[in-house]
């Protein structure tokens, strides 16, 4: 079975984003970028399935600018076999990404597509579900355990209140939650090897997808700032404050 | 504008998250509800009483029992022929189903909205809540998920909606429900609690977490939350997690114990009315958002606090 893993280049999760003064967006110039953390988990899961003999080949895909190549090289260094970059300098919405991925799925016919549950930049949490809908395939979202048995995949999902297990008919779409696994670090020899793994470059038009945004961003603003608080010297003062507030 | 609201329920009663979605939907226009489940007529009766509800579509079929997106999304998409907007609370079901509906309708979903600024204009958080985007949809139909803490809850009485049976294509045969492990708790539910006591990595282990955090929470009648670090370390189950990738909460009082305040955690709780932080590191970022801070060792301060309440 082949596994397709879409990955996204996003602002590093440790960086505090700064909103541009003109309200047009978040300043990404000279900011450290990395692979979306949920996508690292997706790559790791695909590699583990390959190590178990379930998967034969792992194809990493990214939709984004030329620099998204670095993100794909990271996936290759972790253990993906080859990569496809669908290059565009425009910001592409989840619906358009899902349409591009549908085109790639139809060409590559993977048994599983493993995506992150959400990207930490737009926080949408949509692409996996949209891809499943467009392909008419089942979806196992927010996965914390994935087991492939024959022509089905059993997915344990993190839901409000606990866990839920569903069985999906393959081919299927899975999106990863944080506790699915601990992604490995790429070793230096593997980073070197990744440089010679195949990376194909495509364009959204190759899949006949129009990436014109459906949502127009009118403004991006800082969230309201909380007014400065006070520090209390001891527990007694805190108790008094809580009583004042009517909490205790 | 006719809006269809996803009713979150457990086949016996309507969940609170639905009520915030109804408030948001009523700002868009006429509110219709969808109750999809199995043996859920009682839920429809209850839903019909929610203030401002016009009609309740009841899809009662074994295929909808566990809200599997593969079965439910085509049902919603077919009902959308006579509606202009689909509104779901941003619960795990809402987040699972709504994008599937959006793609079936060929529209972009607007996720986790905070406010409605115009018929097609919304605000939503991005970058873990560090930037608030105002977006305008150009799609013919709207698909929206609503952040529960950003809208008031609609009243559960006063409505007189008519219940109407809705037929769907039933089981798509793509997926099946195997089972669920729901964590049992006698404490208030995290997302609707007025007071939350949350613990972080500094609690050391599961036993210490129980001994320090739970008595304080019980004293205050509070729900218990946790940072990702505490969940990953196995102190508490993962549905306790507050943050960008866990639950988003906005209680009256949020007490953060031994939580440093990483941006991913703040994204889940910084809209709380009053934030209280107890941490021994006076430079911890949590103190930048805390209304009341106490720099102290939690192992002595929290039991003392519990004792004096």
């Amino acid at each position: 079975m082949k596994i397709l893993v879409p990955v996204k280049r996003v602002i590093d999760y440790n960086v505090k984003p700064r909103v541009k003064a003109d309200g047009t967006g978040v300043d990404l110039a000279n900011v450290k970028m990395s692979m979306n953390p949920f996508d690292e988990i997706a790559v790791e899961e695909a590699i583990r399935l390959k190590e178990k003999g379930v998967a034969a080949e792992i194809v990493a895909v990214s939709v984004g600018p030329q620099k998204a190549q670095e993100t794909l090289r990271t996936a290759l260094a972790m253990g993906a076999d080859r990569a496809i970059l669908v290059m565009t300098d425009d910001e592409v919405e989840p619906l358009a990404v899902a349409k591009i991925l549908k085109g790639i799925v139809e060409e590559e016919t993977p048994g599983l597509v493993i995506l992150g549950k959400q990207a930490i930049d737009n926080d949408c949490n949509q692409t996996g579900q949209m891809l499943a809908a467009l392909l008419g395939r089942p979806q196992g979202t927010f996965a914390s355990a994935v087991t492939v048995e024959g022509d089905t995949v059993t997915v344990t999902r993190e839901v409000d209140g606990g866990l839920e297990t569903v069985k999906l008919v393959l081919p299927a779409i899975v999106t990863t939650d944080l506790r699915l696994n601990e992604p490995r670090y790429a070793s230096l020899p593997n980073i070197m090897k990744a440089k010679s793994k195949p990376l194909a470059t495509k364009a959204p038009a190759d899949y006949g997808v129009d990436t014109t945004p459906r949502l127009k961003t009118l403004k991006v603003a800082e969230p309201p700032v909380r007014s400065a608080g006070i520090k209390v010297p001891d527990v007694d003062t805190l108790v008094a404050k809580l009583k004042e507030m009517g909490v205790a | 504008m006719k809006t269809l609201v996803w009713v979150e329920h457990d086949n016996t009663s309507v969940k609170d998250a639905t009520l915030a979605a109804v408030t948001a939907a009523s700002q868009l226009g006429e509110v219709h509800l969808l109750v999809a489940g199995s043996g859920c007529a009682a839920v429809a009766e209850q839903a019909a009483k929610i203030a401002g509800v016009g009609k309740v579509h009841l899809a009662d079929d074994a295929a909808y029992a566990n809200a599997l997106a593969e079965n439910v999304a085509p049902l919603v998409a077919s009902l959308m022929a006579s509606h202009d907007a689909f509104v779901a609370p941003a619960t795990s079901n809402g987040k699972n189903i709504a994008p599937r509906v959006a793609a079936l309708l060929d529209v972009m979903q607007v996720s986790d909205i905070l406010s409605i600024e115009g018929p097609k204009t919304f605000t939503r958080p991005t970058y873990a809540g560090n930037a608030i985007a105002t977006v305008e949809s150009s799609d013919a139909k709207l698909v929206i998920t609503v952040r529960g803490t950003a809208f008031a809850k609609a009243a559960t009485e006063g409505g007189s909606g008519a219940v109407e049976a809705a037929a769907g294509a039933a089981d798509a045969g793509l997926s099946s429900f195997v089972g669920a492990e729901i964590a049992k708790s006698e404490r208030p539910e995290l997302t609707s609690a007025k007071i939350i006591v949350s613990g972080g990595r500094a609690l050391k282990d599961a036993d210490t977490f129980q001994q320090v955090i739970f008595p304080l929470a019980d004293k205050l009648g509070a729900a218990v939350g946790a940072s990702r670090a505490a969940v990953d370390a196995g102190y508490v189950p993962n549905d306790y997690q507050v943050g960008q990738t866990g639950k988003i909460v906005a209680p009256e009082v949020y007490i953060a114990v031994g939580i440093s305040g990483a941006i991913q955690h703040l994204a889940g709780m910084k809209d709380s009315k009053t934030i209280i932080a107890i941490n021994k590191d006076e430079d911890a970022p949590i103190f930048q958002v805390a209304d009341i801070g106490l720099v102290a060792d939690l192992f002595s301060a929290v039991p003392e606090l519990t004792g004096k309440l």
Side-chain angles (χ1 to χ4, degrees):
Chain A
M1 173 168 87
K2 193 191 283 185
I3 299 183
L4 191 75
V5 187
V7 295
K8 185 176 186 183
R9 179 178 184 264
V10 298
I11 187 168
D12 188 86
Y13 76 101
N14 279 315
V15 175
K16 184 165 164 51
R18 304 222 172 270
V19 173
K20 286 188 208 164
D22 62 1
T24 54
V26 165
D27 195 356
L28 295 177
N30 305 315
V31 169
K32 186 183 177 207
M33 305 290 276
S34 302
M35 188 190 296
N36 181 43
F38 292 100
D39 303 348
E40 287 186 346
I41 295 169
V43 175
E44 176 66 33
E45 194 63 18
I47 297 166
R48 290 186 188 190
L49 288 169
K50 193 179 171 191
E51 287 167 349
K52 281 184 202 154
V54 173
E57 191 188 27
I58 301 167
V59 183
V61 185
S62 194
V63 178
Q66 177 75 39
K67 282 199 166 160
Q69 266 203 28
E70 295 164 10
T71 310
L72 288 169
R73 291 285 173 207
T74 306
L76 293 170
M78 285 173 75
D81 297 295
R82 60 188 170 88
I84 302 169
L85 171 63
V86 181
M87 207 162 74
T88 168
D89 284 326
D90 303 327
E91 206 164 304
V92 186
E93 291 174 342
L95 183 63
V97 172
K99 288 178 179 176
I100 292 169
L101 293 176
K102 177 179 185 259
I104 296 174
V105 167
E106 281 164 355
E107 270 179 20
E108 299 279 347
T109 63
L112 264 180
V113 183
I114 309 180
L115 306 88
K117 82 162 173 184
Q118 78 189 53
I120 60 163
D121 52 0
N122 60 24
D123 284 333
C124 275
N125 194 333
Q126 299 175 7
T127 309
Q129 295 91 315
M130 287 180 156
L131 176 63
L134 296 175
L135 292 165
R137 290 190 184 167
Q139 64 190 48
T141 51
F142 326 141
S144 61
V146 175
T147 320
V148 177
E149 293 154 309
D151 57 358
T152 61
V153 57
T154 303
V155 179
T156 302
R157 306 177 54 228
E158 294 192 8
V159 296
D160 298 338
L163 299 172
E164 172 183 302
T165 305
V166 291
K167 194 174 223 178
L168 313 175
V169 176
L170 290 172
I173 315 297
V174 168
T175 75
T176 63
D177 216 320
L178 281 170
R179 275 158 291 269
L180 180 57
N181 60 47
E182 183 99 12
R184 69 193 66 191
Y185 290 103
S187 66
L188 187 60
N190 285 344
I191 292 171
M192 299 309 289
K193 261 189 254 169
K195 290 185 178 162
S196 54
K197 286 185 179 175
L199 192 157
T201 304
K202 301 272 194 174
D206 295 342
Y207 303 98
V209 176
D210 175 8
T211 59
T212 313
R214 304 287 188 87
L215 299 180
K216 189 173 156 199
T217 301
L218 304 179
K219 188 176 79 178
V220 177
E222 295 265 5
V225 182
R226 293 186 72 97
S227 50
I230 54 156
K231 280 208 176 124
V232 293
D234 51 36
V235 172
D236 289 321
T237 325
L238 180 56
V239 171
K241 285 274 172 201
L242 284 170
K243 288 194 169 146
E244 221 173 90
M245 284 156 50
V247 171
Chain B
M1 191 184 287
K2 268 195 200 167
T3 64
L4 182 68
V5 177
W6 170 259
V7 174
E8 184 81 21
H9 65 86
D10 52 7
N11 288 314
T12 25
S13 62
V14 175
K15 298 253 180 189
D16 268 7
T18 313
L19 304 173
V22 167
T23 303
S26 65
Q27 291 177 23
L28 291 170
E30 199 181 326
V31 180
H32 292 183
L33 303 184
L34 169 61
V35 175
S38 178
C40 56
V43 177
E45 292 297 319
Q46 229 184 79
K49 291 191 187 126
I50 298 173
V53 167
K55 195 190 283 180
V56 178
H57 298 275
L58 171 62
D60 202 329
D61 190 304
Y64 306 135
N66 299 293
L68 292 170
E70 297 79 7
N71 296 345
V72 166
L75 168 73
V76 178
S78 69
L79 285 167
M80 283 302 288
S82 56
H83 292 87
D84 308 298
F86 177 61
V87 175
T91 54
S92 49
N93 277 333
K95 290 190 278 197
N96 188 40
I97 293 163
R100 192 163 177 120
V101 172
L104 293 176
L105 299 172
D106 192 30
V107 307
M108 240 315 276
Q109 173 182 301
V110 190
S111 294
D112 215 14
I113 64 162
L114 300 173
S115 72
I116 298 174
E117 305 291 317
K120 292 200 162 192
T121 310
F122 310 91
T123 63
R124 61 175 303 266
T126 58
Y127 292 90
N130 283 292
I132 308 297
T134 307
V135 296
E136 183 182 34
S137 170
S138 62
D139 284 316
K141 290 190 191 273
L142 294 169
V143 175
I144 299 163
T145 60
V146 173
R147 176 168 289 194
T149 57
F151 291 86
K153 291 189 180 83
T156 51
E157 294 292 334
S160 53
V163 178
E164 196 174 281
D171 199 340
L174 295 169
S175 57
S176 55
F177 180 78
V178 178
E181 251 180 78
I182 301 302
K184 287 196 179 69
S185 172
E186 282 151 26
R187 295 186 181 82
E189 200 200 359
L190 198 52
T191 47
S192 57
K194 285 203 156 50
I195 306 173
I196 294 173
V197 180
S198 230
R201 194 201 302 268
L203 271 305
K204 280 196 183 131
D205 55 44
D207 285 343
T208 319
F209 194 102
Q210 288 238 353
Q211 285 158 19
V212 175
I213 300 293
F214 286 25
L216 176 59
D218 291 341
K219 202 88 181 224
L220 295 167
V224 175
S227 69
R228 186 194 161 192
V231 170
D232 281 354
Y235 303 173
V236 284
N238 56 38
D239 51 307
Y240 282 64
Q241 187 190 324
V242 171
Q244 181 186 23
T245 60
K247 297 219 165 64
I248 313 284
V249 299
E252 299 276 315
V253 181
Y254 187 90
I255 306 181
V257 179
I259 292 177
S260 63
I263 54 175
Q264 294 82 5
H265 185 75
L266 299 183
M269 45 64 81
K270 68 181 167 153
D271 294 325
S272 305
K273 198 156 168 239
T274 303
I275 297 172
I276 298 172
I278 302 174
N279 204 306
K280 70 174 174 194
D281 174 11
E282 63 180 310
D283 297 321
I286 191 77
F287 287 120
Q288 290 163 21
V289 300
D291 301 282
I292 304 172
L294 173 64
V295 180
D297 179 14
L298 69 93
F299 296 106
S300 54
V302 176
E304 188 187 344
L305 175 61
T306 310
K308 284 179 176 168
L309 286 170

